[in-house]
Amino acid sequence: MAGSRKPLIAGNWKMYKTSGEGSVLVSDVVDAIRGTEDDVEVVVCPPFTALRSISTMIELDGLSIGLGAQDVFWEEEGAFTGAIAPRMLEEFSCRYCIVGHSERREFFGETDETVNRKVQALFRHDITPIVCCGESLSVHDAGNAESFVRDQVRGGIAGLTPEQAATLVIAYEPIWAIGTGRTPVPEAANDVARAIRATVGAMYGPPAATAARVLYGGSVKPENASMFFGEPDIDGALVGGAALVASSFADIVHAAR
Ligand code: 13P
């Protein structure tokens, strides 16, 4: 991690936890990460149905934890059954929204173009996108991870201002590392993180590249987190499975200090 960028640890709960279960998890997490506020930014991204209860907890109890959604639609409102608009996330003080997770690309037809429309829509509402990218095992094995990820990032973050680009969070999540227990060696993850940062720089200039945060995601656990956080271009983690267990998530937060 580089000194000027505040580490960010975000928990992607995926399709786990009801609203009630989510409230319990958040209060356990908050207890376990007490004292880390100044050093690490912590965000939870629960399912849509838990946003209201957790947002109320954050507001009433003054919790030092941020809230994010896992997806959004790009239109302001309209006849789009099942979709959620940025304004609806804004109402619950969502600071962040994950966009383009590989599971959304695989199961819900997300493309770099739809990712980009969502990213632009979020910025219109001052919600920071956490833009996901990452290669499949076959792309990885062919040695093409960096160029594949650069293309994904170029498409996903097109059409922003340099000021917007500077606030971006980009999560590098190799698909073969998600939920598998397999991870790249930290140096290899950092090489891709550096390539992502260079892409931001080529599009929006060096200040944006220096300010944007790049996270690593894919089987991050308390046992391996500090290895990734020791890398200069990795500014934190997007955590899946380990974010569902308060003590594991908290250990990862502590490792980022
Ligand atoms: P795991 O941490 O369960 O591998 O999931 C990573 C992920 O997809 C986070 O978005």
Side-chain angles (χ1 to χ4, degrees):
M1 300 200 197
S4 55
R5 296 184 293 269
K6 189 168 187 177
L8 172 63
I9 307 297
N12 174 10
W13 292 6
K14 308 192 179 186
M15 199 176 73
Y16 293 97
K17 304 291 176 190
T18 63
S19 178
E21 292 162 353
S23 300
V24 173
L25 177 56
V26 164
S27 69
D28 290 347
V29 165
V30 166
D31 283 344
I33 62 169
R34 223 172 277 287
T36 63
E37 308 65 6
D38 292 343
D39 304 320
V40 188
E41 185 176 355
V42 178
V43 171
V44 292
C45 303
F48 290 128
T49 49
L51 288 177
R52 176 189 262 287
S53 57
I54 295 174
S55 132
T56 303
M57 282 175 74
I58 291 174
E59 199 186 313
L60 293 185
D61 302 341
L63 305 182
S64 58
I65 200 170
L67 190 58
Q70 297 177 18
D71 185 38
V72 69
F73 193 51
W74 56 77
E75 295 286 353
E76 286 298 307
E77 63 180 5
F80 303 105
T81 302
I84 298 288
R87 219 164 57 85
M88 299 166 183
L89 303 181
E90 222 179 350
E91 184 184 21
F92 294 149
S93 307
C94 285
R95 252 187 263 156
Y96 292 93
C97 181
I98 297 170
V99 185
H101 192 281
S102 59
E103 288 148 17
R104 297 228 45 105
R105 294 176 192 259
E106 182 179 355
F107 301 116
F108 302 95
E110 197 84 275
T111 65
D112 294 340
E113 289 71 39
T114 61
V115 168
N116 186 238
R117 293 181 82 162
K118 293 177 178 189
V119 165
Q120 302 214 18
L122 289 167
F123 274 121
R124 285 196 290 276
H125 290 267
D126 293 323
I127 299 170
T128 301
I130 300 176
V131 183
C132 297
C133 57
E135 80 288 357
S136 65
L137 188 59
S138 59
V139 170
H140 172 78
D141 287 347
N144 295 329
E146 263 186 50
S147 65
F148 180 88
V149 167
R150 276 178 186 267
D151 283 348
Q152 272 189 331
V153 171
R154 258 194 296 269
I157 68 168
L160 306 180
T161 66
E163 292 72 29
Q164 288 171 333
T167 67
L168 274 172
V169 179
I170 301 178
Y172 170 52
E173 302 205 303
I175 297 170
W176 50 272
I178 295 177
T180 59
R182 275 188 73 186
T183 60
V185 295
E187 297 76 24
N190 191 70
D191 285 346
V192 181
R194 191 191 310 118
I196 291 170
R197 200 176 296 289
T199 304
V200 175
M203 295 172 77
Y204 297 110
T210 304
R213 286 180 292 181
V214 181
L215 311 183
Y216 169 75
S219 295
V220 175
K221 308 285 175 217
E223 302 77 55
N224 61 21
S226 54
M227 287 189 325
F228 291 106
F229 302 156
E231 295 295 327
D233 281 293
I234 296 176
D235 305 312
L238 183 57
V239 184
L244 299 172
V245 179
S247 58
S248 301
F249 190 59
D251 285 348
I252 294 167
V253 172
H254 286 286
R257 286 185 92 179

